[in-house]
Amino acid sequence: MDTRAASLASHDLTEAHYENVTNWATFPGYTDLERAALEFTEKFAVDHLAIDQDLMDRLRAGLGDELTFELALCVGSWLALGRLTQVMGVEASCPIRL
C-alpha cells in the first residue's frame, strides 16, 4: 500500500486507482482488462483454484499469451516475496517510491 509510481500521471493512474484496488469489481475507473487482471491477482492470492477458463480467456484476449504469463509470474513473485518478508520479520523502514 506504500508503493507508488514516481509519476502517477505518466501511467494514467490516480490515487483513486490505488485506493480502490479492493473494490476492483465496482470502481468505474478500471477498464474491463484491468478488472480481469485484478480479479486474477485476488484469486491467485486467496483462492487460486477459483481461477477458471473464462478468466484466463479474458486475460489472454486482452493481453495475449506472453503478457498473461508475465502477469502470473509477477503476481506469484510479489506474493511470495511479501509472504517471505512477513514470515522472516523483515520490515521496510520507509515507503518505496518507484
Side-chain angles (χ1 to χ4, degrees), residues 27-70:
F27 176 62
Y30 295 127
T31 65
D32 288 341
L33 181 55
E34 289 168 334
R35 278 192 187 81
L38 288 163
E39 178 183 355
F40 174 84
T41 301
E42 182 177 283
K43 286 182 177 181
F44 193 101
V46 178
D47 184 12
H48 65 281
L49 296 178
I51 297 171
D52 59 15
Q53 191 61 50
D54 175 66
L55 176 55
M56 295 305 297
D57 289 345
R58 286 185 281 139
L59 286 172
R60 292 175 66 203
L63 297 175
D65 290 340
E66 288 181 25
L67 287 179
T68 298
F69 181 81
E70 188 173 331

Side-chain angles (χ1 to χ4, degrees), residues 15-31:
E15 276 298 318
H17 286 93
Y18 287 102
E19 293 167 355
N20 285 283
V21 167
T22 57
N23 304 319
W24 58 263
T26 58
F27 176 62
Y30 295 127
T31 65

